[in-house]
Amino acid sequence: MPRLTIDDLKKIKEKHRSDFTLREGGYRAKVTVHMGTCGIAAGARAVMTALMDEITKANITDVIVTTSGCAGLCAKEPLATVEIMNHPPVKYCDLNDEKMREIFREHIMAGNPVEKYALVAGCESTY
Amino acid sequence: MDKVRANLMLCAGTGCVASGTPKVKEALLEELKKRGLDEEIKLVLTGCNGYCAEGPVMAVYPDQVFYQKVTVEDIPILVEEHFLKGRPYQKLMFKEPEKKTAIPRMGDIPFFKHQVLRVLRNKGLIDPEKIEEYISRDGYQAMAKALTEMTSEDIVKVVKDSGLRGRGGAGFPTGLKWDFASKVKSDIKYMLCNGDEGDPGAFMDRSVMEADPHSVIEGMVIGAKAIGAHHGYIYVRAEYPLAVKRLQLAIDQATESGLLGGNILGTGFDFHLEIYLGAGAFVCGEETALMRSLEGKRGMPRPRPPFPAHKGLWDKPSVLNNVETLAQIAPIIMNGSEWYRSLGTEKSAGTKVFALTGAVNNVGLVEVPMGIPLRTIIYDIGGGIRKGRKFKAVQLGGPSGGCIPESHLNTPVTYEDIVATGAIVGSGGMVVMDDNTCMVGTAKFFLEFTADESCGKCTPCRVGTKILLDMLTDITEGKGKESDIETLLDLGRDIISTSLCGLGQTAPNPVLTTIKYFRDEYESHIRDKWCKAGVCRNLTTFWIDEKLCKGCGACLRACPSKAIIGEKKQPHKIIQEVCVHCRTCYEACKFKSIKILPAGFEGDPSELLEAAAAAGEGKKGDSK
Ligand SMILES: Cc1cc2nc3c(=O)[nH]c(=O)nc-3n(C[C@H](O)[C@H](O)[C@H](O)COP(=O)(O)O)c2cc1C
Ligand code: FES
């Protein structure tokens, strides 16, 4: 490593922000992909991959992704819940790669829930 | 895709490595890969979490789920359930001793919930082998501030105002120590760190050095600037290989990054830091002995004055600070003295780390604001006494400290209040003892240690500790004399007032405090040849109360000497001639039918036992 300046200390901190957002909390949005056996069978894995890909491309650190078990709505899998801090969570159903990418752009980045894919808004939040 | 969605913080401290971290790590990496999760889930190896007894431990973020006793066999199901399907795995979670309900989140586990982390702020949150991780937690910001925006006087003032006192044992105000050294004129001065950690059972400093080595280095650079030192040493015992390795790595990385060595951060300030390995002698933790040892000589203390601030290492002005003291410096510089004072009491500011062990349900490192009562630490954090047993005493301050009884459990942990009990806060060892502990034996245990570790330079300590030990040994073997208690007290006071260094000046404390609070135990050892806790073999008779015995045979099966006879469902009997007084039967009996009587007792003990029970009750009543 080259010799650092005081500015470099801040840059290093910035560079590792996404790891520390996970560890310290303080994220802006959280997406939960339901990955029960049913979800995985219905293609939750592809939904997850698409989401992670979008986040990487957008180069943002304040959105975290988690998984959870079956949501009890196996017929409508894959499901995902998007929670923007201080807003009611929105559950999306019958997802696929494309829909997830659209939700990422519209809801997570622009702040407008994508009603056509939404199952319910305002169910129990998880944070 | 390089977005990581979870961080698994697996403990790689000394304790967890010993209980299986390396294998767990391999299994985890393999399983994550197999499941295609290796890119989105990152495994990070941390330093000691202070929860070694339940290791290997692992925290999962962002879920904040805490797992303990993780084994290789658990990995496939853990990965599938939690990391793939998002269902945290109950089997590995902390469970409350009585209720058996699993508590998933670290922040909800009572052991962690009541703690306030300042010294241990990065514990389990960073990989101590990567300097970027320390920097990401605002590491080296305080050093940058101290080197660019503050004068030596500014630094001394903030540390003085913070009220920080040395955590190595004596509790000397850190700012004052720095002030003395900064005012001495000398071309060469030394900034030193005491990582000797000689108290048996203590591991606060090891944990900090392993989990957050840069916090110690940063504190040292700030101290060096304050006193005008350009060279420093960290004195660590060689028995801490992992701490040594991590410190060395940290020093190398910091030097390479220009955060140590010449012209730090381009500010023109130089500080060169080296590690020096100690051979693990207790006395080498004493400041003057440590400096002699650093000079390559035999580690023996010398009289003070002159104090190290004037004549220390190689007779140059030197400051020696404890690991935990130094780890607090950076946050104090960043947040100010008022922030530091917001916890603790007027004279004992901030937080202190204790190594809580012994007969409590939860053992480990505990960082709490000073001033909270002992009871809170033992019952709320420690989860109370193991196996529902009765609390007897808490030992504070290791071989230099003392035993505090139930009646003083509301004592706040501050330097002054603990000293008033006869114990000391010391470096933070806290051993909880239940009613199975013999207090004479406890005093003897610590005296064995100090008599052994006495360097022999001064007579009161060399000879005095040996005489104390011999008398205690006699008492525990049934050879005690009526006058012994007074002799112990007199001699103890003499050793304290005439010894050369802190070792001798504190060595009698375990004896004095146990006599102060448990004099009746000494008396029953001496007069009645009776160790009521059943620990001193020569001072016991184990006897089965026929009225209580159910004839279950548990004692008979447990006895290693085959000294117990009896038919099934009939009261059993101990053949005294064969019994070796090992107390195994006493532990095995579920019906409390085995009683501990004085040595050589014959006949009907009911009167004796009733009197003892009544005395015990009376004592308990007094304490409330
Ligand atoms: C016998 C003896 C052993 C000691 N062992 C240690 C030790 O292991 N670690 C430590 O930090 N201080 C130890 N001390 C205290 C040191 O002498 C010294 O006071 C301390 O390191 C100063 O740092 P502080 O002001 O930051 O506490 C010991 C003192 C005595 C008398
Ligand atoms: S080594 Fe893992 S908790 Fe101490």
Side-chain angles (χ1 to χ4, degrees):
Chain A
M1 194 188 281
R3 294 181 66 87
L4 303 176
T5 63
I6 295 177
D7 257 0
D8 293 332
L9 294 177
K10 297 203 175 74
K11 282 186 203 140
I12 290 174
K13 181 173 173 173
E14 237 6 88
K15 204 173 133 221
H16 290 79
R17 175 145 344 247
S18 70
D19 273 335
F20 284 86
T21 307
L22 290 176
R23 297 180 210 171
E24 296 168 353
Y27 35 84
R28 179 179 65 83
K30 170 169 153 181
V31 187
T32 306
V33 182
H34 299 264
M35 298 271 277
T37 311
C38 46
I40 294 172
R45 196 62 246 196
V47 171
M48 164 76 88
T49 309
L51 175 63
M52 304 281 274
D53 184 44
E54 287 295 327
I55 294 175
T56 307
K57 279 197 281 192
N59 195 18
I60 49 170
T61 59
D62 55 357
V63 175
I64 66 160
V65 179
T66 68
T67 59
S68 84
C70 169
L73 281 162
C74 310
K76 296 200 182 293
E77 295 279 4
L79 289 167
T81 309
V82 174
E83 297 169 69
I84 312 279
M85 277 294 158
N86 304 322
H87 289 275
V90 181
K91 241 191 187 77
Y92 293 102
C93 59
D94 290 320
L95 291 176
N96 59 27
D97 179 328
E98 280 313 307
K99 289 182 189 170
M100 190 69 239
R101 289 180 196 273
E102 188 178 340
I103 291 166
F104 177 81
R105 285 189 303 271
E106 290 302 315
H107 188 175
I108 297 169
M109 296 306 282
N112 307 313
V114 188
E115 276 177 33
K116 56 187 175 186
Y117 306 142
L119 180 68
V120 271
C123 57
E124 81 284 6
S125 70
T126 64
Y127 51 78
Chain B
M1 178 174 75
D2 50 22
K3 164 80 180 168
V4 168
R5 67 173 165 90
N7 278 187
L8 313 181
M9 314 299 289
L10 177 63
C11 183
T14 295
C16 290
V17 165
S19 46
T21 291
K23 283 193 180 134
V24 168
K25 174 193 141 196
E26 290 310 317
L28 250 176
L29 287 175
E30 194 179 313
E31 191 67 26
L32 287 174
K33 204 172 170 83
K34 207 165 106 192
R35 297 274 180 179
L37 297 170
D38 53 326
E39 278 179 19
E40 53 191 69
I41 295 181
K42 176 166 154 187
L43 180 65
V44 182
L45 296 178
T46 74
C48 175
N49 281 270
Y51 207 48
C52 320
E54 302 295 325
V57 303
M58 180 167 82
V60 179
Y61 295 99
D63 321 34
Q64 296 175 31
V65 171
F66 184 76
Y67 291 124
Q68 58 189 41
K69 291 214 162 120
V70 181
T71 69
V72 171
E73 290 71 43
D74 292 314
I75 298 303
I77 178 151
L78 173 70
V79 171
E80 162 150 9
E81 284 296 302
H82 189 168
F83 307 144
L84 186 64
K85 296 182 177 171
R87 292 189 289 231
Y89 186 43
Q90 291 221 354
K91 187 186 151 210
L92 299 177
M93 289 177 191
F94 171 90
K95 301 189 187 65
E96 283 205 84
E98 276 90 38
K99 298 186 203 103
K100 302 272 179 252
T101 40
I103 305 184
R105 277 173 179 244
M106 193 162 183
D108 297 329
I109 298 173
F111 182 77
F112 296 111
K113 191 164 74 180
H114 299 282
Q115 299 200 37
V116 183
L117 304 184
R118 283 182 173 182
V119 176
L120 306 176
R121 59 192 178 276
N122 289 330
K123 162 192 95 164
L125 275 182
I126 61 168
D127 179 342
E129 299 194 354
K130 297 206 171 97
I131 193 170
E132 310 86 73
E133 297 236 328
Y134 179 71
I135 294 172
S136 302
R137 292 271 297 162
D138 291 328
Y140 289 111
Q141 295 281 355
M143 181 182 88
K145 180 174 169 186
L147 295 185
T148 55
E149 298 168 23
M150 298 172 84
T151 62
S152 159
E153 292 76 30
D154 293 339
I155 301 172
V156 168
K157 184 167 184 336
V158 175
V159 176
K160 246 189 189 171
D161 292 347
S162 75
L164 173 65
R165 295 172 64 169
R167 300 298 194 233
F172 191 82
T174 306
L176 207 55
K177 199 188 262 190
W178 290 13
D179 196 14
F180 292 148
S182 73
K183 291 196 173 124
V184 182
K185 294 245 173 325
S186 172
D187 48 345
I188 298 178
K189 295 183 188 179
Y190 293 103
M191 182 73 207
L192 310 172
C193 169
N194 192 340
D196 192 51
E197 198 160 52
D199 285 9
F203 64 109
M204 301 68 66
D205 296 346
R206 170 180 72 73
S207 171
V208 172
M209 292 185 281
E210 280 179 16
D212 203 11
H214 289 285
S215 68
V216 181
I217 296 173
E218 186 173 6
M220 287 188 81
V221 181
I222 296 168
K225 158 96 186 198
I227 66 165
H230 301 293
H231 291 272
Y233 292 94
I234 305 180
Y235 188 94
V236 198
R237 55 178 50 228
E239 287 132 311
Y240 280 176
L242 190 58
V244 171
K245 180 188 148 203
R246 297 241 167 99
L247 279 169
Q248 189 59 56
L249 204 64
I251 291 175
D252 293 346
Q253 290 181 356
T255 307
E256 213 177 290
S257 319
L259 302 171
L260 260 184
N263 191 17
I264 293 173
L265 280 172
T267 60
F269 186 77
D270 304 338
F271 185 63
H272 302 274
L273 184 57
E274 281 174 57
I275 296 175
Y276 191 87
L277 296 189
F282 180 55
V283 76
C284 286
E286 194 279 338
E287 58 180 9
T288 60
L290 183 146
M291 290 174 199
R292 288 299 88 84
S293 169
L294 253 172
E295 292 168 1
K297 302 183 189 128
R298 179 166 170 187
M300 279 199 175
R302 60 156 178 81
R304 297 172 301 179
F307 286 94
H310 295 269
K311 273 187 160 191
L313 184 61
W314 287 298
D315 284 343
K316 298 294 178 193
S318 308
V319 160
L320 173 70
N321 278 124
N322 165 261
V323 167
E324 187 183 330
T325 313
L326 290 166
Q328 315 229 37
I329 298 296
I332 291 176
I333 296 295
M334 283 312 282
N335 306 315
S337 53
E338 281 310 307
W339 166 82
Y340 193 72
R341 287 194 156 282
S342 66
L343 292 178
T345 66
E346 176 66 28
K347 288 194 178 136
S348 300
T351 58
K352 172 82 194 90
V353 185
F354 291 95
L356 181 64
T357 59
V360 276
N361 279 308
N362 311 322
V363 299
L365 283 192
V366 169
E367 182 172 0
V368 290
M370 296 204 87
I372 76 165
L374 282 169
R375 191 183 294 280
T376 308
I377 301 180
I378 295 168
Y379 286 91
D380 297 345
I381 299 176
I385 311 301
R386 225 173 252 185
K387 296 186 188 149
R389 286 221 152 93
K390 250 182 67 189
F391 171 89
K392 184 162 188 178
V394 54
Q395 210 284 345
L396 245 71
S400 315
C403 294
I404 300 175
E406 162 106 50
S407 54
H408 288 64
L409 267 190
N410 290 334
T411 308
V413 277
T414 67
Y415 290 101
E416 307 73 48
D417 292 289
I418 297 296
V419 164
T421 68
I424 60 167
V425 169
S427 64
M430 193 181 276
V431 186
V432 178
M433 298 179 244
D434 65 15
D435 51 0
N436 279 336
T437 321
C438 166
M439 301 315 288
V440 186
T442 302
K444 185 180 146 217
F445 169 84
F446 285 109
L447 258 295
E448 272 168 3
F449 181 82
T450 34
D452 198 35
E453 294 287 340
S454 168
C455 76
K457 184 163 176 176
C458 75
T459 315
C461 175
R462 180 185 67 242
V463 181
T465 52
K466 181 74 172 73
I467 298 177
L468 288 181
L469 175 61
D470 287 346
M471 289 180 76
L472 291 170
T473 307
D474 279 352
I475 296 174
T476 56
E477 288 176 354
K479 292 177 266 177
K481 294 187 299 294
E482 195 62 37
S483 59
D484 280 357
I485 298 181
E486 285 314 313
T487 314
L488 285 171
L489 289 173
D490 281 347
L491 180 58
R493 290 185 202 114
D494 289 345
I495 297 173
I496 289 176
S497 57
T498 55
S499 287
L500 171 61
C501 86
L503 197 155
Q505 287 159 9
T506 57
N509 284 346
V511 187
L512 300 187
T513 52
T514 46
I515 296 181
K516 181 172 175 187
Y517 298 114
F518 301 94
R519 196 181 178 111
D520 55 331
E521 272 191 48
Y522 279 82
E523 288 168 352
S524 72
H525 275 68
I526 295 170
R527 285 183 204 150
D528 311 327
K529 309 294 171 211
W530 189 9
C531 174
K532 290 180 185 166
V535 178
C536 305
R537 289 191 179 200
N538 288 2
L539 304 180
T540 52
T541 300
F542 288 88
W543 173 81
I544 299 177
D545 187 340
E546 296 194 358
K547 291 191 284 285
L548 299 174
C549 179
K550 304 266 188 277
C552 71
C555 58
L556 189 147
R557 284 190 297 276
C559 179
S561 322
K562 301 202 166 42
I564 301 182
I565 50 168
E567 295 298 318
K568 244 191 193 144
K569 306 216 168 132
Q570 297 297 317
H572 285 32
K573 197 170 154 26
I574 299 175
I575 312 167
Q576 297 300 339
E577 293 72 29
V578 184
C579 173
V580 294
H581 307 247
C582 68
R583 90 200 298 279
T584 309
C585 57
Y586 181 79
E587 301 282 344
C589 180
K590 287 197 186 68
F591 306 100
K592 295 203 160 96
S593 71
I594 298 181
K595 304 293 176 196
I596 297 162
L597 305 174
F601 190 88
E602 284 172 32
D604 183 5
S606 25
E607 236 174 77
L608 188 70
L609 289 171
E610 266 165 40
E617 283 305 308
K619 223 173 130 201
K620 223 172 99 198
D622 288 344
S623 67
K624 284 201 179 122

